[in-house]
Amino acid sequence: ETMAAEDHGPRPVVLRVNAGNNDAHATEEAKVLYRLVYFDLRGVAEVVRLALALAGVPYEDWRYPMRAAATGFGVDASYLRDKHRGAFAANLDRLPVLRVLEAAGDETSVAAWDLGQSAAVLRYVADRHGLFGTTPRQRAAIDAILEHLRDVREAWYKAKAAAASSSSANINTRTQGWLLPSCLYAASADDDDDAAPGRASKRFSQFLDRELPRMLARVDAALRGPEGAAGDTVSEKKTTSTPWLVGDAASVADVAAYHLLGTPQAVVTGLVASFFDGESDRVRAALEAAPRLRASVDAMASHPRILAWEAARPETFS
């Protein structure tokens, strides 16, 4: 549900981002250029931007202008025009889309191809730029963590849908649907009892104060492997002095954990611009049950490349 489109120009805002020098991938960077196409907000593309920042990979950050209002988001006409001409076919006419331009085999021409689905884009960037582990076991562990975190997100969406009992909450869930798949906010018939007046806020609090700590503790336990095993049999950490979730280097698992549990919260024009509706203190309390996740989130929050990106990131309503 969008408001009437306004046309502020035929092309989206283009930001050329240099996330920092990365000598390890200098040769790779010379062969590839990324164009990440999304709206001018964080949404589901922000975790990809964080991964690119951590990897130190320059890219073009294409953003279609948007504006927020009480009843929905206004989208620029240039987005609708590009959508109708099939520019986003790689993602079933949705965003984000990652356009990859890379040198062909003879290195005298450039081949371009598009990739859709934010999760696939994230994994592709991580795999190509050293954020997906160094062994098959590490790659599998990272993949599992990404799925565990997706389970946490979906449990949150369900609790949020159950809490959407007032008209104002329903407006909020509709508009939030632009940031994340709207189907995840749709309350089912099974949620009717939870959505009753008085029960919604209780369900909301129960998730944050009881279910979220339990889920995060389970993710932490999954990294250690079976009880009694020697060392971290799953994540292959050689030393306990590093804060990273898998192995001894930062990976896309750390990026995803930070994006979900550690990114700054904001409320603009009544719309919450991050996960867990701005309840950052309660999320932080939940992390006390998951020391490995907490250490990873803290390390990402102080990482120079992440700090540089967050300082340079354009200010948006979400």
Side-chain angles (χ1 to χ4, degrees):
E1 299 177 25
T2 64
M3 300 173 59
E6 296 181 5
D7 194 342
H8 294 286
R11 303 183 70 181
V13 177
V14 180
L15 304 168
R16 286 177 173 82
V17 178
N18 188 342
N21 295 325
N22 189 350
D23 295 338
H25 297 292
T27 302
E28 188 73 10
E29 290 174 9
K31 296 180 180 179
V32 62
L33 171 67
Y34 298 123
R35 179 179 299 162
L36 182 61
V37 184
Y38 195 57
F39 302 108
D40 190 21
L41 44 76
R42 299 181 192 181
V44 296
E46 188 64 16
V47 67
V48 179
R49 297 180 185 125
L50 288 167
L52 288 164
L54 181 62
V57 178
Y59 66 102
E60 292 183 351
D61 192 9
W62 283 46
R63 295 168 176 249
Y64 287 97
M66 297 190 75
R67 59 190 175 89
T71 57
F73 289 134
V75 61
D76 192 74
S78 58
Y79 158 74
L80 296 175
R81 186 163 52 248
D82 288 347
K83 176 181 177 179
H84 292 154
R85 71 178 178 82
F88 317 135
N91 199 9
L92 309 183
D93 295 328
R94 303 168 304 179
L95 293 177
V97 167
L98 182 71
R99 168 146 290 199
V100 183
L101 301 99
E102 51 190 335
D106 56 9
E107 298 191 356
T108 61
S109 57
V110 175
W113 58 280
D114 291 348
L115 179 63
Q117 296 290 352
S118 57
V121 171
L122 180 64
R123 284 170 165 87
Y124 170 78
V125 167
D127 186 47
R128 184 152 190 174
H129 295 285
L131 299 178
F132 223 102
T134 58
T135 68
R137 184 184 295 182
Q138 287 183 12
R139 287 190 286 273
I142 290 168
D143 220 2
I145 293 170
L146 294 179
E147 293 303 303
H148 294 329
L149 294 173
R150 182 172 66 87
D151 289 342
V152 174
R153 285 199 311 271
E154 291 192 359
W156 162 246
Y157 299 152
K158 181 171 177 144
K160 184 176 176 68
S165 58
S166 67
S167 58
S168 59
N170 284 328
I171 289 174
N172 193 40
T173 56
R174 286 204 307 274
T175 54
Q176 286 274 8
W178 270 89
L179 310 186
L180 298 158
S182 58
C183 62
L184 296 177
Y185 288 102
S188 68
D190 294 336
D191 295 324
D192 287 345
D193 289 341
D194 284 336
R199 295 181 185 172
S201 59
K202 181 179 179 181
R203 178 71 183 87
F204 188 83
S205 293
Q206 282 179 341
F207 177 84
L208 288 172
D209 299 334
R210 294 169 57 185
E211 294 179 38
L212 183 59
R214 290 171 184 169
M215 293 191 78
L216 299 184
R218 288 195 207 97
V219 176
D220 242 44
L223 294 170
R224 296 191 296 271
E227 184 177 355
D232 283 346
T233 59
V234 177
S235 58
E236 290 191 321
K237 288 180 72 69
K238 295 188 176 80
T239 174
T240 58
S241 63
T242 61
W244 311 118
L245 294 175
V246 177
D248 298 307
S251 74
V252 70
D254 301 286
V255 172
Y258 176 68
H259 178 240
L260 179 64
L261 302 166
T263 50
Q265 314 285 328
V267 178
V268 184
T269 61
L271 304 178
V272 178
S274 191
F275 298 106
F276 308 114
D277 283 10
E279 297 281 356
S280 55
D281 290 343
R282 293 165 89 175
V283 173
R284 186 67 189 178
L287 277 170
E288 292 300 313
R292 288 279 293 275
L293 281 171
R294 185 183 68 242
S296 168
V297 167
D298 289 346
M300 287 294 295
S302 61
H303 195 289
R305 287 181 177 169
I306 298 300
L307 289 172
W309 163 243
E310 291 182 343
R313 178 171 52 201
E315 292 187 11
T316 61
F317 67 81
S318 176

